[in-house]
Amino acid sequence: MSRRKVAVVGAGMTKFMHRALETPKELAWLAAKSALESADMKLNQIDCIVLGSAPDAFDGVHMKGEYLSDGCGGWKKPYLRCYVGGGTGVYAVAQAWFHVASGLFDTALVVCEEKMSSCLPHPQAAFLTIFDHITEQPLKPNLLWIFALEQTRYMETYGIALEDIARVSVKNKRNALDHPAAQLGADLTIKDVLASEVMAWPVHRLMVSPTSDGAAAVILAGEEIARRISDRPAWIQGVGWCLDTAYWTNRDLAYPEYVEKAAWMAYRMAGIREPRKEINIAEPYDPFAYKELHHLEGLQLAPKGQAPKLLADGVFERNGDLPVTPSGGLLGVGNPIAAAGLMKICELFWQLRGEAGTRQVPGKPERGVAQAWGDLMQVGTVVVMGTKEPA
Amino acid sequence: MKPEPKLVRGTPLDEKALKRGKTFSVTYEPRLRYGWDTGQAISRYLAELKEGRLIARSCRKCERVMIPPRMFCERCFRPTDEWVYVKDTGKIFTFSLCYVSWDVRRLKQPEIPAVIEIDGASPGMGILHVVKKIAPGKVRIGMAVRAVWRPKAKRIGSVTDIAYWQPIKN
Ligand SMILES: [Zn+2]
């Protein structure tokens, strides 16, 4: 199959904030502007726009895609919103990738935005509506349930201790101290995490990412333009996504097979056979602490049930053998849903170009993977990026 | 040389900024109402719940007995074949002790949401519900539980016709 090679040539984001003065549209504009500036490009060099944004219910603006279009640079351009819940931020890059890889467009601007603070008194109420409206909502569930139920199953299946889960919060919140956009960087101990309020056992408060306002943006370009305008394009080597059944109470829960399938789709495209050896840096989705471990296993970067041990051994530290979430992740930088996933792509872009400042992982990483997750605990979205042009 | 681009922008609002009254916000409370038709499979499911029974659907091809019931098998992508009564007992597949209500109130006594793997359905076929009548510290995965039904006159054809699940004492 002939398709054009595609690279990320620019990236930008707003601060991630508990509550922003800016409107969703202004947040989108600030992120888009930062990405354009970083690539030294103007909007007239952009052929199409991809918007990623999660449920309208958070911003409270119906048809948010249309509302946000001007802030995304969508004026008189092909413009399309995509949405796979929390998986949106990484999926949006895959969608922009096929816009450009197909040859239909030379460049694409990807913008992801979320403003959760508008939902009063707390965006939790909007999460209620993700559960099945007939068979589950009458039980008055909340979002914590679904994560706690999955974490319990994960821990029980592999005999994982809570300390091993808490270690993810410690690492990511500490990494976030070095991120200029971070909302919740902190220097904590495992003890601090375990001493924090039990929200829904086994989930403690410091194992949960915050709700946030923010936006992120990246620019994709086809190979000819990428080579011309960028001295260090970050090539998209593979993309993958996969959805499991919405009957989540019929699923295994201990292992995210849909993430494995999405990962292999991306790895095959990238020519990766041994992910653990061929990937230098990973940004898996970490809305809750255990999810990072769960996803690392789905991404084939740790054997089933073994991610906690590798973390305890220091493998996933920023200076470890496989740095994981050097950005600080959703737990530390913040979680404006779709924007948080795209923030992970921004991080790979900066890390692969050696521009991550104090967050920079040593050893000049050549290849990284970003992953997001969402819908009703059922979607895996994966992008592999590297310094080498795909074959 | 071009100047270093400013990559991080935005204006965080803290409590102080909000109190100073320098910011404006407009509020809106949607008043939308919906009436969801419950469809073929779930209508029967709810009707049986009202009678104090749990019912599933089977697929001949993959040999699964599925609950909640569905009119088509999402794996085989063909119609399911038969209604199958299953038991109102099961095992705790996973659970949590939740100290936060659906509207973010803090709870002294936790709710115990659980996925209950239903006896008589295929392995791994569970439904979401809540467990009661047990000390939170005693709940375990694999524990046998039974449905506690609301009195017949109070049932309305809802998953809440099962008031809760409680451990089966041996
Ligand atoms: Zn079947």
Side-chain angles (χ1 to χ4, degrees):
Chain A
M1 188 175 16
S2 107
R3 57 186 170 219
R4 206 150 48 140
K5 299 170 200 173
V6 182
V8 180
V9 296
M13 59 189 287
T14 67
K15 264 191 85 59
F16 285 1
M17 301 159 266
H18 174 66
R19 181 169 172 181
L21 170 68
E22 286 80 8
T23 61
K25 202 185 293 204
E26 289 169 342
L27 290 171
W29 143 253
L30 291 178
K33 178 172 147 70
S34 295
L36 285 166
E37 283 174 8
S38 82
D40 204 9
M41 289 173 85
K42 295 270 186 296
L43 187 60
N44 62 14
Q45 293 168 277
I46 298 293
D47 292 344
C48 69
I49 310 287
V50 171
L51 165 70
S53 203
D56 289 351
F58 293 124
D59 297 53
V61 178
H62 191 40
M63 295 169 59
K64 189 162 54 165
E66 288 69 10
Y67 161 77
L68 283 171
S69 61
D70 289 317
C72 301
W75 179 65
K76 289 189 177 169
K77 285 190 194 299
Y79 171 87
L80 188 62
R81 175 188 183 181
C82 65
Y83 169 66
V84 276
T88 302
V90 170
Y91 175 75
V93 174
Q95 179 163 307
W97 174 84
F98 50 73
H99 278 19
V100 179
S102 64
L104 200 56
F105 302 105
D106 288 331
T107 55
L109 171 61
V110 185
V111 182
C112 287
E113 180 280 339
E114 221 75 56
K115 186 169 167 102
M116 300 172 77
S117 66
S118 308
C119 191
L120 302 174
H122 190 279
Q124 170 68 252
F127 277 119
L128 171 68
T129 57
I130 73 169
F131 289 91
D132 185 275
H133 51 290
I134 300 170
T135 58
E136 292 172 353
Q137 282 185 31
L139 296 165
K140 296 195 162 56
N142 69 49
L143 188 72
L144 290 162
W145 284 21
I146 209 165
F147 286 99
L149 292 168
E150 190 176 70
Q151 182 175 329
T152 307
R153 192 73 205 164
Y154 176 58
M155 290 171 65
E156 169 90 5
T157 302
Y158 302 114
I160 294 163
L162 210 47
E163 289 75 16
D164 292 325
I165 306 282
R167 198 170 276 118
V168 176
S169 303
V170 173
K171 171 176 71 70
N172 292 6
K173 285 176 186 289
R174 193 178 55 224
N175 284 352
L177 286 171
D178 295 322
H179 201 303
Q183 180 183 342
L184 269 189
D187 207 352
L188 301 170
T189 62
I190 291 177
K191 232 176 163 181
D192 294 331
V193 177
L194 294 179
S196 67
E197 182 188 4
V198 181
M199 310 282 288
W201 182 92
V203 176
H204 290 243
R205 170 174 276 286
L206 289 173
M207 298 174 184
V208 185
S209 61
T211 59
S212 312
D213 294 357
V218 297
I219 296 164
L220 270 56
E223 52 191 298
E224 305 82 2
I225 291 184
R227 285 186 212 112
R228 195 172 73 233
I229 68 167
S230 177
D231 53 345
R232 280 165 298 160
W235 296 96
I236 295 182
Q237 299 177 338
V239 301
W241 66 99
C242 180
L243 207 72
D244 202 341
T245 172
Y247 293 106
W248 67 275
T249 59
N250 295 170
R251 295 209 321 246
D252 157 67
L253 300 182
Y255 179 73
E257 210 186 320
Y258 48 95
V259 173
E260 176 180 340
K261 284 192 188 313
W264 277 118
M265 175 178 164
Y267 293 161
R268 266 192 295 273
M269 204 181 290
I272 295 172
R273 290 194 182 153
E274 294 183 86
R276 181 66 184 81
K277 290 183 185 158
E278 297 175 70
I279 286 169
N280 309 130
I281 180 171
E283 279 281 341
Y285 204 60
D286 61 324
F288 282 60
Y290 81 96
K291 288 303 297 181
E292 172 164 303
L293 304 165
H294 203 235
H295 290 148
L296 283 168
E297 293 169 15
L299 287 167
Q300 316 298 296
L301 298 176
K304 287 183 188 179
Q306 296 298 305
K309 184 176 183 313
L310 295 175
L311 174 62
D313 291 347
V315 173
F316 301 145
E317 298 295 325
R318 201 182 271 150
N319 58 2
D321 192 39
L322 175 64
V324 171
T325 317
S327 65
L330 282 56
L331 287 165
V333 185
N335 187 8
I337 313 231
L342 194 58
M343 176 271 289
K344 289 182 169 282
I345 300 284
C346 294
E347 183 70 10
L348 289 188
F349 176 74
W350 290 318
Q351 291 284 354
L352 292 169
R353 287 162 58 98
E355 293 177 342
T358 46
R359 300 192 311 287
Q360 186 64 46
V361 307
K364 295 205 167 91
E366 288 182 5
R367 187 187 263 146
V369 62
Q371 173 257 340
W373 166 94
D375 282 345
L376 195 57
M377 319 180 70
Q378 70 195 122
V379 69
T381 58
V382 175
V383 167
V384 175
M385 283 159 61
T387 54
K388 292 214 174 83
E389 232 174 278
Chain B
M1 251 186 69
K2 65 178 167 134
E4 186 73 12
K6 195 178 175 206
L7 295 172
V8 175
R9 299 179 165 97
T11 315
L13 291 178
D14 54 17
E15 288 304 319
K16 260 191 269 166
L18 293 172
K19 273 199 193 116
R20 250 182 274 130
K22 290 263 160 97
T23 64
F24 299 89
S25 77
V26 174
T27 58
Y28 163 61
E29 211 166 317
R31 297 193 188 279
L32 306 169
R33 294 180 66 226
Y34 295 88
W36 290 309
D37 293 321
T38 52
Q40 294 187 11
I42 297 299
S43 292
R44 174 75 188 268
Y45 184 54
L46 299 179
E48 295 290 347
L49 282 167
K50 206 172 170 187
E51 299 305 314
R53 294 187 292 251
L54 280 170
I55 199 160
R57 281 287 281 185
S58 65
C59 171
R60 226 176 270 147
K61 187 148 181 253
C62 63
E63 299 181 325
R64 289 191 306 158
V65 176
M66 291 171 271
I67 189 166
R70 58 213 74 164
M71 297 316 288
F72 61 92
C73 174
E74 74 278 4
R75 292 194 185 174
C76 307
F77 217 56
R78 61 180 292 281
T80 47
D81 299 293
E82 276 168 49
W83 291 103
V84 182
Y85 285 107
V86 290
K87 295 191 177 157
D88 64 351
T89 58
K91 289 187 182 58
I92 294 179
F93 182 77
T94 186
F95 69 97
S96 168
L97 312 175
C98 190
Y99 292 86
V100 181
S101 71
W102 69 279
D103 51 356
V104 207
R105 282 176 298 114
R106 293 300 191 268
L107 306 170
K108 277 221 174 72
Q109 278 303 310
E111 288 185 289
I112 310 176
V115 174
I116 316 281
E117 196 175 6
I118 303 296
D119 291 337
S122 293
M125 281 288 161
I127 62 169
L128 178 67
H129 221 283
V130 291
V131 176
K132 289 186 183 174
K133 305 284 176 194
I134 178 169
K138 296 244 159 101
V139 188
R140 295 286 178 272
I141 283 180
M143 191 171 257
V145 288
R146 68 174 179 86
V148 176
W149 296 88
R150 280 186 205 287
K152 192 158 188 199
K154 292 206 169 152
R155 290 184 214 143
I156 56 168
S158 164
V159 290
T160 55
D161 288 348
I162 295 176
Y164 54 86
W165 296 69
Q166 74 170 43
I168 297 172
K169 294 200 181 74
N170 294 319

